[in-house]
Structure formats: C-alpha cells, structure tokens
Amino acid sequence: MFSRFFGSHRRPFSSLDEQEILALAISSEEDDARIYRAYAEGLRDEYPHSAAVFDEMAEEEDGHRAALIEAHRERFGERIPLIRREHVRGYYDRKPDWLVRPLGLDNVRAQAEQMEEQAHRFYVEAAKRTGDAGIRKLLGDLAIAEKTHESLAHRLSEKHLGEDERAEEEQTERKQFILTYVQPGLAGLMDGSVSTLAPIFAAAFATGDTWQTFLVGLAASIGAGISMGFTEVASDDGVISGRGSPIKRGLATGIMTTVGGLGHALPYLIPHFWTATIIAFIIVFIELWAIAWIQNRYMETPWSRATFQVVLGGALVFATGMLIGNA
C-alpha cells in the first residue's frame, strides 16, 4: 500500500535504457495522436474547422510514431517492450479528453500547447541518454519537431481557419456559453432577486425582527434555488435545443437563484432593523442593475428596455412585500 502511494512501483526515467526510451516514445506518440483525434471528434459538430486542425496534428504524431518504430526495428528488432507514461516516475501525465470536458476552443488549444511543450522536453532529455548516433539524431529531430508544433498549429489554423471561419466558430462558442450558463444563470438571478423581495420585506415589516426575517429569506432563497435548479434540469435535456448539459444549466440556475435571494437576506443578520433594511435596499438596487447589465451585455437587450423590465418588476414586487408586511 505504502509503496503504491509513494510511487516506488514506477521506474526512474534515468534508469531506462535505449530500447525502453524508444518504447516509451512510441507509446507516448500513440497516446497523443489518440487524444488529438478525440479532440477533433469532440469539436467536429460545432467547430469543424478546428477539428480539421487536430486531425492533421494527429497525423503528424502518427508520422513520429512510425519513425520511432522503424528505428526500434533496425536497432532492437520487432518486439517493443510495453512501457507507458504511468510506468515512469516523474514522467508527465496526459489528461484524456473526457477529463478536459467541455471541449471549448481555448481549453483544447491550451492543452495542445502544453502537450507539445512536454513532448519537447522529453525528447531533449531522451536524446541525452542514448549513445546510438541514429537514435540520438531521431530523438533530436523529434524534439525540434515538437518545439515547432506551435508554428505547425498556427499554420494549420491559417489553412483551415480563415477570418470568416474563425469568426463563425467564436460566435458558435459564445452562443453555446450563453445558452448553457448565461441564460439559465440570468433566469435564476432574476427569480432569486425579484421573487424573494416580497416574502423577505413582508416578513421584515410585519415582524420588525431581523433574525426572523433572515430565516424567511434563507428558506425562500434555498427553496427557490432547489426548485429552479430541478425545473431547469427536467425541462430540457439539451439534445434538440442544443442548450448543453441539463446538469450544468440546472446548477447555474439553482446557484444563481440562491445567490440572488441571499443577497438581500444576509443584511438581516445585523440586529439593528433599519440598518439591515437600508443595506438590503442598496443590495437590491445593485442586483437589479446587475441583471440589466447582463441582459444588455449577453442577451443584447437595449439598456432602456432591460432597465424598464427589471427595475419596474423589482419595484412592483418590493411594493407588494411592503404593503403586505404593513397590513
């Protein structure tokens, strides 16, 4: 148990001989090509041009693997030892594509850059540990190739991603972000901020008790968050609408609903009634303007319309709460 925890079942990189270094390089290139193809498949429906970039990068890795296998065949024969990254202590790890979901463009590009930099460092160190001139030259050439992959990715991007294609994919990515996170989160924030105004301020003016008001606000906020979250999950699985994972949308809606309600409930932890109420007023004002800003920024709603909808709606609900609380 302790040996597995401390990684003593792994070989030090410095202990690998030339054949094992080649075998490790072969398996690493296989993994990298597989990851690039997984990226391509994950991007193909929404970002076909970027998928083509990763397809060609996978083919490049296949070429590296073929050169390494040929070098192994000439120097050591047909049998390639089974040695992988996880067998070598201190060797860099690769995240499979399912661990870097969602496959956003910026995410996979950053992962690809990191992969190429790690591969470059490996080939530099591997070349230092071989005395065979042919193998050393091959490893050095691969180190250079991995170092220039950044420019390769740039060239491939230029080939497959003109200005129109790049703008199209960026627009698709922005639209997906809005549908999956912004729109559900905005709905939750509006519901939490506006719908809890009435019960919180009704409780405040009816009781004059800050603690009881806070408990009402806490219950209303959490209850609304749970309800809105489950409603969002159950309302649309995202397959036909293209709005993305229902779990992500549900979390965005539920969390923002709770946050919207707690914003003006938390001031009632202050024992002085009017101090707590004035701070709650200020927070409500900030919340309503934040909602209007999000509508204008992401939903492209004109400022005048967003302000009218949010401020008028909030004012009506707030007035309702005060009237009921003073009844």
Side-chain angles (χ1 to χ4, degrees), residues 39-40 42-54 103-105 108-109 161 165-166 168-177:
Y39 287 170
L43 295 171
R44 200 174 308 283
D45 291 341
E46 296 177 354
Y47 312 108
H49 306 292
S50 288
V53 172
F54 284 103
L103 290 181
L105 293 180
V108 294
R109 286 169 183 165
L161 293 170
E165 290 81 8
R166 190 180 297 274
E168 176 188 339
E169 291 197 347
E170 288 176 353
Q171 182 63 26
T172 300
E173 187 174 34
R174 184 177 187 273
K175 178 182 177 182
Q176 191 62 56
F177 174 74

Short mmCIF file of all heavy atoms in Angstrom, two decimals, residues 39-40 42-54 103-105 108-109 161 165-166 168-177:
data_model
loop_
_atom_site.label_atom_id
_atom_site.label_comp_id
_atom_site.label_asym_id
_atom_site.label_seq_id
_atom_site.Cartn_x
_atom_site.Cartn_y
_atom_site.Cartn_z
N TYR A 39 -10.08 15.04 -29.48
CA TYR A 39 -10.40 16.47 -29.55
C TYR A 39 -11.13 16.78 -30.84
O TYR A 39 -12.13 17.52 -30.85
CB TYR A 39 -9.12 17.30 -29.49
CG TYR A 39 -8.45 17.37 -28.14
CD1 TYR A 39 -7.18 17.92 -28.00
CD2 TYR A 39 -9.07 16.90 -26.99
CE1 TYR A 39 -6.55 17.99 -26.76
CE2 TYR A 39 -8.45 16.96 -25.76
CZ TYR A 39 -7.19 17.51 -25.65
OH TYR A 39 -6.57 17.58 -24.43
N ALA A 40 -10.62 16.24 -31.95
CA ALA A 40 -11.24 16.51 -33.24
C ALA A 40 -12.69 16.02 -33.27
O ALA A 40 -13.59 16.74 -33.73
CB ALA A 40 -10.43 15.84 -34.35
N GLY A 42 -14.64 15.54 -30.70
CA GLY A 42 -15.45 16.33 -29.78
C GLY A 42 -15.80 17.70 -30.32
O GLY A 42 -16.81 18.29 -29.93
N LEU A 43 -14.97 18.22 -31.22
CA LEU A 43 -15.21 19.56 -31.77
C LEU A 43 -15.92 19.54 -33.12
O LEU A 43 -16.42 20.57 -33.57
CB LEU A 43 -13.86 20.29 -31.96
CG LEU A 43 -13.05 20.61 -30.70
CD1 LEU A 43 -11.67 21.12 -31.08
CD2 LEU A 43 -13.77 21.63 -29.84
N ARG A 44 -15.98 18.36 -33.76
CA ARG A 44 -16.36 18.31 -35.17
C ARG A 44 -17.75 18.88 -35.45
O ARG A 44 -17.95 19.60 -36.44
CB ARG A 44 -16.27 16.87 -35.69
CG ARG A 44 -16.17 16.82 -37.21
CD ARG A 44 -15.95 15.41 -37.71
NE ARG A 44 -14.84 14.74 -37.08
CZ ARG A 44 -13.56 14.96 -37.36
NH1 ARG A 44 -13.23 15.86 -38.27
NH2 ARG A 44 -12.61 14.30 -36.74
N ASP A 45 -18.73 18.59 -34.61
CA ASP A 45 -20.09 19.04 -34.90
C ASP A 45 -20.23 20.56 -34.84
O ASP A 45 -20.90 21.17 -35.68
CB ASP A 45 -21.08 18.40 -33.91
CG ASP A 45 -21.23 16.90 -34.15
OD1 ASP A 45 -20.88 16.45 -35.26
OD2 ASP A 45 -21.67 16.20 -33.22
N GLU A 46 -19.60 21.17 -33.81
CA GLU A 46 -19.78 22.60 -33.62
C GLU A 46 -18.64 23.42 -34.21
O GLU A 46 -18.84 24.57 -34.60
CB GLU A 46 -19.92 22.91 -32.13
CG GLU A 46 -21.17 22.30 -31.50
CD GLU A 46 -21.26 22.56 -30.02
OE1 GLU A 46 -20.29 23.11 -29.45
OE2 GLU A 46 -22.29 22.21 -29.42
N TYR A 47 -17.42 22.84 -34.24
CA TYR A 47 -16.25 23.58 -34.73
C TYR A 47 -15.50 22.73 -35.76
O TYR A 47 -14.40 22.24 -35.51
CB TYR A 47 -15.33 23.93 -33.56
CG TYR A 47 -16.04 24.54 -32.38
CD1 TYR A 47 -16.21 23.81 -31.21
CD2 TYR A 47 -16.53 25.84 -32.44
CE1 TYR A 47 -16.86 24.37 -30.13
CE2 TYR A 47 -17.17 26.40 -31.36
CZ TYR A 47 -17.34 25.66 -30.20
OH TYR A 47 -17.99 26.21 -29.12
N PRO A 48 -16.08 22.52 -36.93
CA PRO A 48 -15.47 21.60 -37.92
C PRO A 48 -14.10 22.06 -38.40
O PRO A 48 -13.24 21.23 -38.71
CB PRO A 48 -16.49 21.59 -39.06
CG PRO A 48 -17.28 22.85 -38.90
CD PRO A 48 -17.33 23.10 -37.44
N HIS A 49 -13.87 23.35 -38.47
CA HIS A 49 -12.58 23.84 -38.97
C HIS A 49 -11.47 23.57 -37.96
O HIS A 49 -10.37 23.15 -38.32
CB HIS A 49 -12.68 25.32 -39.30
CG HIS A 49 -13.79 25.66 -40.24
ND1 HIS A 49 -13.79 25.27 -41.55
CD2 HIS A 49 -14.96 26.33 -40.04
CE1 HIS A 49 -14.90 25.68 -42.14
NE2 HIS A 49 -15.63 26.34 -41.25
N SER A 50 -11.75 23.79 -36.68
CA SER A 50 -10.75 23.47 -35.65
C SER A 50 -10.55 21.96 -35.55
O SER A 50 -9.44 21.49 -35.26
CB SER A 50 -11.20 24.03 -34.29
OG SER A 50 -11.09 25.44 -34.27
N ALA A 51 -11.60 21.19 -35.77
CA ALA A 51 -11.46 19.73 -35.77
C ALA A 51 -10.47 19.28 -36.84
O ALA A 51 -9.67 18.36 -36.61
CB ALA A 51 -12.82 19.08 -35.99
N ALA A 52 -10.50 19.93 -38.00
CA ALA A 52 -9.57 19.58 -39.07
C ALA A 52 -8.12 19.85 -38.65
O ALA A 52 -7.21 19.12 -39.03
CB ALA A 52 -9.91 20.38 -40.33
N VAL A 53 -7.90 20.90 -37.85
CA VAL A 53 -6.56 21.18 -37.35
C VAL A 53 -6.05 20.02 -36.50
O VAL A 53 -4.92 19.55 -36.67
CB VAL A 53 -6.56 22.49 -36.54
CG1 VAL A 53 -5.20 22.69 -35.85
CG2 VAL A 53 -6.88 23.68 -37.43
N PHE A 54 -6.89 19.52 -35.59
CA PHE A 54 -6.47 18.44 -34.72
C PHE A 54 -6.35 17.12 -35.47
O PHE A 54 -5.54 16.26 -35.10
CB PHE A 54 -7.42 18.32 -33.52
CG PHE A 54 -7.20 19.39 -32.50
CD1 PHE A 54 -8.05 20.47 -32.40
CD2 PHE A 54 -6.12 19.32 -31.64
CE1 PHE A 54 -7.84 21.46 -31.46
CE2 PHE A 54 -5.89 20.32 -30.70
CZ PHE A 54 -6.75 21.39 -30.61
N LEU A 103 -15.13 20.59 -24.20
CA LEU A 103 -14.04 20.83 -25.14
C LEU A 103 -14.21 22.21 -25.80
O LEU A 103 -14.47 22.32 -26.99
CB LEU A 103 -14.02 19.74 -26.20
CG LEU A 103 -13.57 18.36 -25.74
CD1 LEU A 103 -13.57 17.39 -26.92
CD2 LEU A 103 -12.20 18.39 -25.11
N GLY A 104 -14.07 23.25 -25.01
CA GLY A 104 -14.08 24.59 -25.57
C GLY A 104 -12.82 24.82 -26.37
O GLY A 104 -11.79 24.18 -26.15
N LEU A 105 -12.86 25.76 -27.30
CA LEU A 105 -11.72 26.00 -28.18
C LEU A 105 -10.49 26.42 -27.39
O LEU A 105 -9.39 25.90 -27.61
CB LEU A 105 -12.09 27.08 -29.20
CG LEU A 105 -13.16 26.71 -30.23
CD1 LEU A 105 -13.41 27.89 -31.16
CD2 LEU A 105 -12.72 25.50 -31.04
N VAL A 108 -8.96 23.29 -25.38
CA VAL A 108 -8.19 22.29 -26.12
C VAL A 108 -6.92 22.88 -26.72
O VAL A 108 -5.90 22.20 -26.83
CB VAL A 108 -9.05 21.60 -27.21
CG1 VAL A 108 -10.17 20.79 -26.60
CG2 VAL A 108 -9.62 22.61 -28.20
N ARG A 109 -6.97 24.14 -27.13
CA ARG A 109 -5.76 24.76 -27.65
C ARG A 109 -4.69 24.86 -26.56
O ARG A 109 -3.50 24.62 -26.81
CB ARG A 109 -6.08 26.15 -28.20
CG ARG A 109 -6.83 26.10 -29.54
CD ARG A 109 -7.38 27.44 -29.94
NE ARG A 109 -8.14 27.36 -31.18
CZ ARG A 109 -8.97 28.32 -31.60
NH1 ARG A 109 -9.13 29.42 -30.88
NH2 ARG A 109 -9.64 28.17 -32.73
N LEU A 161 -8.68 27.82 -40.82
CA LEU A 161 -9.46 28.85 -40.13
C LEU A 161 -9.15 30.23 -40.71
O LEU A 161 -8.28 30.94 -40.20
CB LEU A 161 -9.17 28.84 -38.64
CG LEU A 161 -9.63 27.60 -37.85
CD1 LEU A 161 -9.06 27.63 -36.45
CD2 LEU A 161 -11.14 27.53 -37.81
N GLU A 165 -14.21 31.76 -41.01
CA GLU A 165 -14.40 30.52 -40.24
C GLU A 165 -14.11 30.74 -38.76
O GLU A 165 -14.81 30.22 -37.90
CB GLU A 165 -13.48 29.43 -40.79
CG GLU A 165 -13.85 28.90 -42.16
CD GLU A 165 -13.38 29.80 -43.28
OE1 GLU A 165 -12.62 30.75 -43.00
OE2 GLU A 165 -13.76 29.55 -44.44
N ARG A 166 -13.06 31.52 -38.46
CA ARG A 166 -12.73 31.79 -37.07
C ARG A 166 -13.86 32.57 -36.38
O ARG A 166 -14.26 32.27 -35.26
CB ARG A 166 -11.42 32.58 -36.98
CG ARG A 166 -10.87 32.70 -35.57
CD ARG A 166 -9.57 33.48 -35.59
NE ARG A 166 -8.55 32.79 -36.37
CZ ARG A 166 -7.76 31.86 -35.87
NH1 ARG A 166 -7.89 31.51 -34.60
NH2 ARG A 166 -6.86 31.29 -36.63
N GLU A 168 -16.95 32.57 -37.25
CA GLU A 168 -18.09 31.67 -37.14
C GLU A 168 -17.96 30.77 -35.91
O GLU A 168 -18.92 30.59 -35.15
CB GLU A 168 -18.20 30.82 -38.41
CG GLU A 168 -19.31 29.78 -38.37
CD GLU A 168 -19.26 28.83 -39.56
OE1 GLU A 168 -18.65 29.20 -40.59
OE2 GLU A 168 -19.81 27.73 -39.44
N GLU A 169 -16.77 30.21 -35.69
CA GLU A 169 -16.58 29.32 -34.55
C GLU A 169 -16.61 30.08 -33.23
O GLU A 169 -17.13 29.58 -32.23
CB GLU A 169 -15.27 28.55 -34.71
CG GLU A 169 -15.31 27.55 -35.85
CD GLU A 169 -14.21 26.52 -35.77
OE1 GLU A 169 -13.26 26.71 -34.98
OE2 GLU A 169 -14.29 25.51 -36.49
N GLU A 170 -16.05 31.29 -33.22
CA GLU A 170 -16.11 32.09 -32.00
C GLU A 170 -17.54 32.46 -31.66
O GLU A 170 -17.93 32.47 -30.49
CB GLU A 170 -15.25 33.35 -32.16
CG GLU A 170 -13.75 33.05 -32.15
CD GLU A 170 -12.92 34.29 -32.42
OE1 GLU A 170 -13.53 35.35 -32.74
OE2 GLU A 170 -11.68 34.20 -32.32
N GLN A 171 -18.34 32.74 -32.68
CA GLN A 171 -19.74 33.06 -32.46
C GLN A 171 -20.49 31.84 -31.94
O GLN A 171 -21.34 31.95 -31.04
CB GLN A 171 -20.39 33.56 -33.76
CG GLN A 171 -21.85 33.95 -33.64
CD GLN A 171 -22.07 35.12 -32.70
OE1 GLN A 171 -21.17 35.94 -32.49
NE2 GLN A 171 -23.25 35.19 -32.11
N THR A 172 -20.16 30.66 -32.49
CA THR A 172 -20.79 29.42 -32.01
C THR A 172 -20.44 29.15 -30.56
O THR A 172 -21.30 28.77 -29.76
CB THR A 172 -20.34 28.23 -32.89
OG1 THR A 172 -20.73 28.46 -34.23
CG2 THR A 172 -20.98 26.94 -32.40
N GLU A 173 -19.16 29.37 -30.21
CA GLU A 173 -18.74 29.14 -28.83
C GLU A 173 -19.42 30.12 -27.88
O GLU A 173 -19.87 29.74 -26.79
CB GLU A 173 -17.22 29.28 -28.73
CG GLU A 173 -16.67 28.91 -27.37
CD GLU A 173 -15.16 28.92 -27.33
OE1 GLU A 173 -14.55 29.76 -28.03
OE2 GLU A 173 -14.57 28.11 -26.61
N ARG A 174 -19.52 31.37 -28.27
CA ARG A 174 -20.20 32.37 -27.43
C ARG A 174 -21.67 32.02 -27.25
O ARG A 174 -22.22 32.11 -26.15
CB ARG A 174 -20.06 33.76 -28.07
CG ARG A 174 -20.66 34.89 -27.22
CD ARG A 174 -20.42 36.25 -27.87
NE ARG A 174 -20.84 37.32 -26.98
CZ ARG A 174 -22.07 37.80 -26.93
NH1 ARG A 174 -23.00 37.28 -27.72
NH2 ARG A 174 -22.38 38.78 -26.10
N LYS A 175 -22.31 31.58 -28.35
CA LYS A 175 -23.72 31.21 -28.27
C LYS A 175 -23.92 30.04 -27.33
O LYS A 175 -24.86 30.03 -26.51
CB LYS A 175 -24.23 30.85 -29.67
CG LYS A 175 -25.68 30.39 -29.70
CD LYS A 175 -26.10 30.01 -31.11
CE LYS A 175 -27.54 29.48 -31.12
NZ LYS A 175 -27.95 29.06 -32.49
N GLN A 176 -23.02 29.04 -27.39
CA GLN A 176 -23.13 27.88 -26.51
C GLN A 176 -22.93 28.28 -25.05
O GLN A 176 -23.64 27.79 -24.16
CB GLN A 176 -22.10 26.82 -26.90
CG GLN A 176 -22.32 25.47 -26.23
CD GLN A 176 -23.65 24.86 -26.61
OE1 GLN A 176 -23.96 24.67 -27.79
NE2 GLN A 176 -24.49 24.57 -25.63
N PHE A 177 -21.99 29.17 -24.79
CA PHE A 177 -21.76 29.65 -23.43
C PHE A 177 -23.00 30.37 -22.89
O PHE A 177 -23.41 30.16 -21.74
CB PHE A 177 -20.56 30.61 -23.43
CG PHE A 177 -20.31 31.28 -22.12
CD1 PHE A 177 -19.76 30.58 -21.05
CD2 PHE A 177 -20.64 32.63 -21.95
CE1 PHE A 177 -19.55 31.21 -19.83
CE2 PHE A 177 -20.42 33.25 -20.74
CZ PHE A 177 -19.88 32.55 -19.68
#
